[in-house]
Structure formats: structure tokens, C-alpha cells
Amino acid sequence: MMLLLLLACNTLPRWGDARDPVADTQDSVLAPSDILGLDSRASWESEETGVATGLAWGDMDRDGDPDLVVSYGNDITRGPIAVYTNEEGQLQTSAGFTTNLMHYYGHLEVADLNGDGWLDVVASRLLGDQGLEQPGGVEVYISNQGTLPGLPTWQAEGFYSFSPALGDWDLDGDLDLAVATGEPYYNPPQANLVYENNGEGDFGEAPAWSSPPDLSLDAAWVDIDQDGDLDLVFARVGEPHCAFLNGPDGLESTPSWQAEGDPTRHEGNTLDFGDVNQDGAMDLVISDNLQLGGAGTVSLYCGPSLIRCWESADAPQYQSAVSIEDVDGDGLLDLVAGSWGDPSGLGAPVRIYTRQPTGLWSDEPQWFSESSSVIEALAFEDSDSLAATETIIAGEGLLLLPRGRITQVEGGAAHRGYLTGPGLLRAMVLLPTERDLAVSNWDKDIGNQLYVRTTP
């Protein structure tokens, strides 16, 4: 959530102020619609108030139950990185761990950064502690056998950053770090950065690559050109979204792909990827906000040429989080989207656009959550682990992973749909038949929420 929309909202309670969860969920904006097997009413809500932004699932203590990791702060009020512990399939409503420092955190990612089998955390800091006039940076927290440290084990500062992205750009078997940089309201463009992992979760003193200056709010590593290495995609503000292709000499210095259309329509907030049209190439979905003149819609760019092939047709909104997921279990990827609301006010329900057998997604949503909130991030996981089965993925080079929980990796690194490394690779993945949806909320009156699957 960015600044201009929020100037009037200056009475937010600070982190730690508690309230009764779930009981005061807002009245339904639209009638419940559980036709996809996902309950439209949140069954869990965190107690803590604060400006929640980043969100990811991860079995932090390796007890078999996925925990929920949340970063707080955004550009409103400083907060910590928090872990909501999962005990035998039940998320605790109060955070079991928080970092020592309170910052203006943006989004985060959870992955094993040093190859020890325990999950670590990387989080972007949108602003410095003095607020808008001071840039933030990025922090890494390396787990000590399931216990995150209170202070970062590595960090870089001096740039505004809303989102990090982990991916093995050099295929050496560890995850490197890309940082989407820029603050689009009052500060000039900055260079996006890539820091190289030394294999132990240390990313050095200087970036290994930088882009021309721009304003980017999200990034992802994805093999766009299907050549067996990971390319880098950015969702940008005020100029077209873009992709830097990777090759024998590393990432190119200028993007090979830029989204079509009027640059002012591009106000990228969040992106995701997947083979939506089932042609073997990765497709990109990017949300465009409208606060600074953007389109206020969500667009799908079909690979490998990444031509815009679908755009949401419901009323424009302050589009934010997007996630691609087979929600109804029909083998086709659906679109889950959130927003901050529309020009009439803050708050909106989670929306799902279903994949149509004879086309792409439905023009308008087919599912809505009952409550409305200011949505920042979405994350799917089988929270109770009751429907999971194990499968093994093995091979060499760059391997696609099914959507599930990675429980063991040999010979390389695994994250966000890819298994990579220099030699023979093997990963164990839990494949749930039903995955629940977690939502991080910026809203001052609503905690983070969980919507559970009701049918397989």
C-alpha cells in the first residue's frame, strides 16, 4: 500500500494492540459464493493490528505443519517480521516470534538460502526509519535450526524496495536475490539490483547486476524464453513492465521484452506466473493500480512472446495482490486477485476469476470473499496437511516443480516453481489436493486472514 491513498488514515493502532479476531468481520459485500470449494468466510484471523504487507508460508520449525510469516510496516507505521506458528494444523492467532527491529517492511520471501534444510527469510524495507525521505533496503534472516535471529544476518541499504525475488540465476545450486526498487510518489527512479549468494546466505557487499533506473514494485525469476535458465521480470510504474533475459553472459543490460500499450496505463503492483493456457510456455499476470493514473485492471501476458491476451473487465480498482492457483481442482489455473478498494473508498473482497475450458479466465470474478479489506498479499498452502501426498522430482538443469510444499532438496535449490543446480537434482514435494488461502491486510481493523478449502 502506498502513500497518497493513506494520508487521511492517520489513526492506525500500532503493532501489538489486540482485538477479538473474526467476531467483528465486516458484513458481506456480496453474497457468499462457495462454488469453488473455498469457504468465502475467513476461519482464522490474527490478533495483532498493524500494517501487514508481506506474506509467505513455510514450515519454519520442520514439524510438518506450515507456519505463516508476515512483514509489517509498509509506508505507514513501523512493524516487525512475525511468525504465526502452526500447531497440528491450527494457526496460532498471536505471533510466536517477532524480530527485534521495527521497520517499514514491504514484501518478503521464505526459502532455504544456505542449504542446511531450514527455511530463512528475506524482506524488503520500503522506507528507512525516518520515513519517506529516507530509503530502506533489504534484509536476510538465516535460521538457526528453526529459530530466526532477532537481527538480520545480512542487509543492504540505500534504496527504496517494495519486493524481493529469490532465484538461482547462475544455476550453481543456491538462491540469488533480486530487489525491485523505487518509490513512485515522491522519489526518482532507482536501479533494480541482483545480489549473488555465496552458498551460505551471504550476498556480499555489492550487487552483481543492476538495471537502468526505473520504478519497480515487484519482481520474479521465470524462464521466459524456455532456454533453461531464469530470466528476471519487473512490474513497473509509469513505463512498461519488462523482462531481462538471461544467457551465457548473464542478464542483459536492457530488457528484451516490454509490455505493449500506453506507458501511463502501467502502474504495476504485483506479478505472478504460470502456464495458464497450457501451451508449455510461462505466462505472466500483472496487476496495475490506478492511483497514479494506471489502468486499474489485471492483465495476462501469454508466453513466450508475452502478448497481452486477457484483461479484467470488471470496474477498475486499486489493484494489488495477484496469485495463479488451481482453486477448484479442475487442472486449470485460476486467477486470485485483491485490491485496496476503488475510488469510492478503501476495502474490497478477494476475487477469483475462473479458467474457462474454451478460453482464458472469466471476464469478471466468479467468487468473492464475504469480508472486505485492504489486501496486500495472497498465499496458498494446505494449512492442516491432511490431504497431501509425496512425489519426487529428479533430473538435471532447470526443472519445473508442481505447486506444493518442498520438504527435501538434494543437489541444488528449490523455490517458486523451479528446482535448479549444476548436476543431479532431487526434490521431495507434498502435493495437496486442497490448498487454503492466506491474506495479509493493511486494514487497521482487520487482521491477516485464512480462507480454507471446504471440498477437495
Side-chain angles (χ1 to χ4, degrees), residues 106-374:
H107 290 279
L108 61 78
E109 295 221 280
V110 171
D112 181 3
L113 298 177
N114 60 354
D116 67 351
W118 297 91
L119 294 177
D120 313 302
V121 175
V122 56
S124 283
R125 288 172 54 194
L126 177 59
L127 308 178
D129 289 341
Q130 301 304 312
L132 188 68
E133 296 181 356
Q134 182 183 20
V138 64
E139 295 178 349
V140 169
Y141 291 81
I142 298 296
S143 174
N144 180 14
Q145 295 187 340
T147 301
L148 290 177
L151 300 174
T153 52
W154 178 91
Q155 63 180 325
E157 297 181 306
F159 47 85
Y160 299 92
S161 177
F162 198 51
S163 300
L166 295 170
D168 185 6
W169 81 325
D170 49 10
L171 302 182
D172 65 349
D174 56 41
L175 295 172
D176 306 299
L177 171 61
V179 185
T181 64
E183 191 286 306
Y185 294 88
Y186 295 109
N187 289 282
Q190 294 183 299
N192 300 301
L193 306 170
V194 173
Y195 291 90
E196 197 165 84
N197 193 344
N198 71 350
E200 299 178 358
D202 188 303
F203 294 87
E205 297 182 0
W209 176 89
S210 61
S211 74
D214 65 14
L215 298 168
S216 293
L217 293 186
D218 200 9
W221 293 96
V222 52
D223 186 7
I224 295 294
D225 54 6
Q226 301 174 286
D227 67 347
D229 54 31
L230 294 176
D231 310 305
L232 186 54
V233 181
F234 291 99
R236 303 198 294 186
V237 176
E239 58 185 310
H241 313 310
C242 69
F244 294 84
L245 298 183
N246 199 355
D249 298 323
L251 285 175
E252 57 192 356
S253 58
T254 57
S256 288
W257 171 78
Q258 295 190 77
E260 63 198 63
D262 182 354
T264 63
R265 285 177 49 87
H266 299 114
E267 193 179 327
N269 182 278
T270 307
L271 66 85
D272 197 6
F273 61 88
D275 185 5
V276 177
N277 58 4
Q278 298 182 307
D279 66 352
M282 285 295 173
D283 311 311
L284 297 178
V285 60
I286 303 178
S287 62
D288 284 303
N289 210 292
L290 55 72
Q291 193 171 55
L292 298 175
T297 61
V298 180
S299 294
L300 179 68
Y301 300 88
C302 287
S305 57
L306 297 181
I307 300 297
R308 182 188 280 115
C309 52
W310 178 90
E311 187 174 10
S312 58
D314 46 321
Q317 301 185 51
Y318 294 111
Q319 304 285 359
S320 57
V322 289
S323 180
I324 299 175
E325 176 78 13
D326 180 11
V327 179
D328 53 8
D330 64 355
L332 303 173
L333 294 175
D334 308 301
L335 170 64
V336 187
S339 78
W340 309 333
D342 60 33
S344 67
L346 293 176
V350 181
R351 319 182 309 277
I352 298 179
Y353 303 78
T354 56
R355 173 74 160 81
Q356 305 300 299
T358 58
L360 293 172
W361 292 316
S362 53
D363 292 338
E364 298 189 358
Q366 304 298 302
W367 182 97
F368 299 87
S369 61
E370 287 192 40
S371 63
S372 294
S373 61
V374 181

Side-chain angles (χ1 to χ4, degrees), residues 5-56:
L5 189 60
L6 313 177
L7 290 177
C9 304
N10 56 8
T11 59
L12 286 175
R14 295 191 62 80
W15 166 267
D17 293 343
R19 59 179 198 79
D20 293 332
V22 178
D24 58 348
T25 301
Q26 296 181 15
D27 292 337
S28 174
V29 174
L30 296 168
S33 49
D34 299 333
I35 58 173
L36 302 184
L38 185 68
D39 196 340
S40 59
R41 178 179 170 83
S43 63
W44 172 90
E45 192 169 327
S46 62
E47 295 180 9
E48 289 90 354
T49 58
V51 186
T53 304
L55 178 75

Side-chain angles (χ1 to χ4, degrees), residues 369-427:
S369 61
E370 287 192 40
S371 63
S372 294
S373 61
V374 181
I375 298 166
E376 290 289 346
L378 308 166
F380 279 90
E381 178 58 278
D382 182 9
S383 62
D384 58 14
S385 306
L386 295 179
T389 57
E390 289 187 334
T391 187
I392 296 175
I393 305 298
E396 295 181 299
L398 183 76
L399 302 178
L400 285 173
L401 291 175
R403 293 167 186 266
R405 190 187 320 156
I406 303 161
T407 59
Q408 184 178 353
V409 178
E410 297 176 5
H415 184 64
R416 203 170 180 183
Y418 290 102
L419 174 63
T420 59
L424 293 174
L425 304 170
R426 184 178 182 272

